[in-house]
Amino acid sequence: MKRYLEAGRLNAPRGLKGEVRFSCWCDSMEFLSGVSKLYLDPEGKAYLEVERMLPHLGTIVFKGYGDRTSASALNGRTLWFDREDVTLPAGSWFNDDLIGTPVFDLRSERTVGVVRAVEERGGRFLWLIGDGETEFLFPPAPEYLVSVKPGEEIRIRLIDGFAPGTES
């Protein structure tokens, strides 16, 4: 599992006091509210210290970037957070941890592939599941999802025709 996960991208400054617009790729900016450092690389070697996070405005102020000119140097930078700095609610997981996890369908009693990617479409997540020959998008809705153990196994219940090979 990766220790540092993508948090989002910094955009143009807002105002004169170093606020930087932030496009959050997490569920919400509130998820990151307790994080004191955001990293400039996926290895966690360089970081910015958070001075203030303003989720209602979608902006962040970093220590040492207290004016518009210095904040503008951050425009376009991708940021990562340390998974050890956040707590997930019970029954939740990071999407990155699902990649490569085998998916077992209870109805057909067979493994239908592994999670190859997690995509966001229309405001919801879809899992791209493939076995090397075929791929399909799966909506991880409660009516189809039985159990999730990231990195170990995902158990689902597909309906007929939902995925290749599930036609009756």
Side-chain angles (χ1 to χ4, degrees), residues 111-129:
T111 298
V112 293
V114 299
V115 178
R116 299 227 184 268
V118 178
E119 300 177 4
E120 187 173 5
R121 293 188 185 181
R124 65 183 298 181
F125 290 107
L126 297 172
W127 299 347
L128 179 64
I129 299 173

Side-chain angles (χ1 to χ4, degrees), residues 2-77:
K2 293 191 252 178
R3 179 171 172 181
Y4 300 95
L5 303 172
E6 288 183 353
R9 177 162 287 130
L10 294 172
N11 299 300
R14 178 188 176 276
L16 302 173
K17 297 185 180 181
E19 288 180 30
V20 182
R21 289 180 176 93
F22 181 63
S23 296
C24 186
W25 297 338
C26 301
D27 287 348
S28 68
M29 275 186 74
E30 286 81 4
F31 175 77
L32 297 171
S33 64
V35 172
S36 62
K37 294 178 183 174
L38 290 170
Y39 298 84
L40 294 164
D41 59 271
E43 293 82 32
K45 294 178 183 170
Y47 64 87
L48 297 168
E49 287 188 67
V50 176
E51 186 173 300
R52 265 186 347 266
M53 196 170 293
L54 305 162
H56 63 287
L57 295 175
T59 62
I60 304 175
V61 177
F62 296 101
K63 291 181 182 173
Y65 294 86
D67 61 71
R68 184 178 183 85
T69 303
S70 61
S72 66
L74 300 172
N75 188 11
R77 299 294 303 261

Side-chain angles (χ1 to χ4, degrees), residues 48-155:
L48 297 168
E49 287 188 67
V50 176
E51 186 173 300
R52 265 186 347 266
M53 196 170 293
L54 305 162
H56 63 287
L57 295 175
T59 62
I60 304 175
V61 177
F62 296 101
K63 291 181 182 173
Y65 294 86
D67 61 71
R68 184 178 183 85
T69 303
S70 61
S72 66
L74 300 172
N75 188 11
R77 299 294 303 261
T78 298
L79 297 180
W80 287 261
F81 68 93
D82 185 340
R83 71 168 56 237
E84 295 178 10
D85 291 342
V86 299
T87 303
L88 287 176
S92 298
W93 53 80
F94 292 114
N95 286 336
D96 280 13
D97 295 344
L98 299 175
I99 307 302
T101 303
V103 180
F104 183 82
D105 174 36
L106 294 175
R107 290 192 63 212
S108 67
E109 297 182 348
R110 67 181 178 92
T111 298
V112 293
V114 299
V115 178
R116 299 227 184 268
V118 178
E119 300 177 4
E120 187 173 5
R121 293 188 185 181
R124 65 183 298 181
F125 290 107
L126 297 172
W127 299 347
L128 179 64
I129 299 173
D131 64 5
E133 292 181 26
T134 60
E135 292 183 331
F136 64 96
L137 289 170
F138 173 77
E143 58 266 31
Y144 308 122
L145 198 57
V146 177
S147 66
V148 177
K149 293 179 185 172
E152 293 178 34
E153 182 182 63
I154 297 171
R155 298 175 78 76

